[in-house]
Amino acid sequence: MRRLLLIVIIAAGASWPPLPSAGARAGDDSQAAAATAAAATGATLAPAIKEAERITQAGLKEDLLVVADDRMGGRDTPSPGLDAAAKFIADRLAKLKLHPGGDDGTYFQNVTLRSTQVDTARTRADLSGRQFRYGSDFIPSSYVSGEASAPLVYVGHGWVVKPKNINAYEGLDVRDKIMIVAGSSSALPKGLTLEEVRTMKASDWESPVSYAQRNGARGLVFVPRDFDRAWRRGLRSVGRSSYQVERFIDEERTDNKGFDNSLPSILPSAAMLDAIFAGEPRKGEEILRASVAGEPLKGFALDASKRLSFSTQLQSTTAKTQNVVGIVEGSDRELRKEYVAVSAHYDHVGSEASGGGCRPKDGDTICNGADDDGSGTVALLSMAAAFSEGRRPRRSVLFIWHMGEEKGLMGSEYFTKYPTVPIEKIVALLNIDMIGRSRPAANEDVRNKMLTGPDEIYVVGSRVLSTELGELNDRVNRSYLNLKYNYHYDKPNDPEQLWTRSDHFNYALQGIPIVFFFDGVHEDYHKPSDTPEKIDYRKLERVTRTIFVLASEVANAPRRPVVDKDLPDDMKER
């Protein structure tokens, strides 16, 4: 049961006004509900509610017919259609005179992607003559082409940390060997934090990657703690090209010391690991179990007559894409340096021709993504217009259209790693991903079972980091249009894993409190049939207006939402 906390907010010398008694019920027309709510809430919400009236069904529909048009080709990442959508958004921001928030005075935060494909004919492995197959027995574990052939040595976690008396290599010689590491290229030993390492002198520690290169190892075999997830992720890329952010790839090639990992490396299957350790004092299943537990066994050299040889050969091409960023600058001399971020992803899964994951239906080969996330994309445009045409909030409002959400939250990960504004100055993120569909009253299709009704929306994560933000979100809603907020996906161990499936996740990892708005998966999810005529524009208008008023309240509050909780460990992994 959630604990209810009454938040008293001081604004313009007055406490938060009383809640309306019955005026703003779900189902009222927006204009009537807005007038009733404005009268009940006095000066605090009234200006924002008045400005929210600039957000209209007609305006939202006009924009969505452009964003979800066939000419955008389904907005795959990367694609000419996605670029066209980005230009449409940027042109609108320029017309509204929002401050450019991208690179070099533009609205675009430019991102280079690299498409890497394994050359299956030249990627192979064998152990003392026994052949192993790429894709079933092993996969490359880094974006490095190369070959290695040598005896093997198991080095546990592979770290040296002098101030902690940690040395995984006592009694071991790795020169001209292939190192088997219980962990990933940069995973720290259990009980050691990155913050601790950063306070040490560079000469006080050594990662497995830098130790391997400095001491003449030939290659690496990784047995990561998240073994099952790493193996599944690797298998998904088998036999196909996949885009990754080039900057992330380059980071993966370096350890926490900035040492470039040019050694070839692989991730073996559990069966291949058993074969490697056959006849050794420790079995493969013991090595794997200890690695997953984060408590690797003491290192030892394997039988010198046993020799592993492998070759990983990769082919790469690059492409350009972008996040789109605009800023409504705040009016307060100090608070304008802080930002309320509002986000949506403007990409989708493309078309059959783009290879983005769109499956043709009834001859239609383009997935237009009207709800996913055309609805969020145009909601941001309407909110940006409402802010730009009305009073300037005290804090700045940061509008971010992320690319590559459908490809693994690439755009939000890029922005939070390389932000165009100081990340610590973002006081909250309101993320919108699908807010335009409603469950038909007479529809019994099981695929629409979890779709919300006309006056209902899922709210996810609003209290995960900040109780205050969650309570403020509830209070604003009750004082305005009184939508039905459904907290179903806030349950612990949500089987749909909504927490990890949209862009708010990467902001929460940075300690930024978030609220995620979502209408629910429906029968047209990721299909060509997710089209503009199926949008409930009344609902889209009401949800957008509600989020606008919430953003306005956070932007005008005397202080930023208090972060009173740490992100639980089980919510930090995708």
Side-chain angles (χ1 to χ4, degrees), residues 307-470:
R307 190 178 190 90
L308 176 65
S309 301
F310 66 84
S311 172
T312 59
Q313 301 297 326
L314 310 175
Q315 300 171 331
S316 297
T317 57
T318 60
K320 303 291 185 180
T321 187
Q322 61 281 309
N323 290 323
V324 187
V325 190
I327 300 171
V328 174
E329 294 184 293
S331 61
D332 186 277
R333 185 173 181 178
E334 291 301 318
L335 292 182
R336 68 186 298 177
K337 299 172 186 176
E338 297 181 343
Y339 302 85
V340 179
V342 189
S343 72
H345 71 90
Y346 73 106
D347 68 309
H348 193 52
V349 297
S351 64
E352 182 183 27
S354 77
C358 179
R359 297 180 179 179
K361 182 179 180 182
D362 299 329
D364 192 348
T365 62
I366 299 175
C367 288
N368 300 106
D371 191 29
D372 184 13
D373 187 25
S375 60
T377 296
V378 301
L380 261 64
L381 283 173
S382 285
M383 284 190 278
F387 271 117
S388 68
E389 295 165 4
R391 59 172 183 160
R392 288 171 62 199
R394 298 175 71 192
R395 284 181 182 80
S396 298
V397 182
L398 180 69
F399 289 95
I400 314 170
W401 287 264
H402 296 115
M403 61 82 189
E405 190 269 356
E406 303 287 3
K407 296 290 177 68
L409 316 185
M410 287 194 297
S412 56
E413 184 178 0
Y414 192 89
F415 188 88
T416 53
K417 284 186 174 181
Y418 312 108
T420 60
V421 302
I423 194 75
E424 71 276 5
K425 294 296 186 181
I426 299 178
V427 305
L429 173 83
L430 312 180
N431 183 41
I432 307 171
D433 191 352
M434 300 171 59
I435 58 169
R437 290 288 292 268
S438 295
R439 184 177 60 252
N443 192 305
E444 300 298 327
D445 193 320
V446 67
R447 294 172 296 177
N448 293 324
K449 179 181 178 181
M450 299 306 296
L451 185 57
T452 50
D455 294 293
E456 180 184 15
I457 198 75
Y458 290 115
V459 175
V460 180
S462 62
R463 290 175 174 83
V464 167
L465 290 169
S466 173
T467 304
E468 186 173 78
L469 180 61

Side-chain angles (χ1 to χ4, degrees), residues 179-294:
M179 284 172 34
I180 304 173
V181 182
S184 62
S185 60
S186 59
L188 292 163
K190 197 171 184 179
L192 187 66
T193 67
L194 186 57
E195 289 70 24
E196 288 179 290
V197 171
R198 283 173 174 165
T199 63
M200 298 175 189
K201 295 183 298 183
S203 59
D204 280 345
W205 61 274
E206 196 88 66
S207 76
V209 170
S210 57
Y211 191 93
Q213 290 216 356
R214 293 184 195 277
N215 290 276
R218 297 290 185 86
L220 295 156
V221 175
F222 288 112
V223 188
R225 187 172 181 181
D226 59 344
F227 184 86
D228 288 340
R229 186 168 67 91
W231 182 255
R232 289 195 303 271
R233 186 173 63 238
L235 286 181
R236 286 198 296 269
S237 67
V238 169
R240 64 179 175 86
S241 173
S242 61
Y243 279 102
Q244 301 291 330
V245 174
E246 186 169 60
R247 204 165 174 179
F248 296 168
I249 295 171
D250 292 339
E251 286 178 349
E252 286 185 17
R253 289 187 55 176
T254 63
D255 63 11
N256 290 325
K257 209 170 189 175
F259 198 90
D260 184 21
N261 176 19
S262 59
L263 290 175
S265 60
I266 63 170
L267 170 65
S269 67
M272 184 175 178
L273 198 64
D274 282 338
I276 289 173
F277 284 93
E280 302 295 339
R282 297 287 192 171
K283 303 300 182 186
E285 61 183 24
E286 294 179 82
I287 299 295
L288 177 56
R289 188 165 54 246
S291 296
V292 170

Side-chain angles (χ1 to χ4, degrees), residues 155-166:
V155 299
H157 53 61
W159 281 79
V160 175
V161 187
K162 293 177 183 178
K164 299 286 185 179
N165 294 317
I166 295 173

Side-chain angles (χ1 to χ4, degrees), residues 567-573:
L567 189 64
D569 287 342
D570 61 357
M571 298 181 75
K572 295 178 180 178
E573 296 288 339

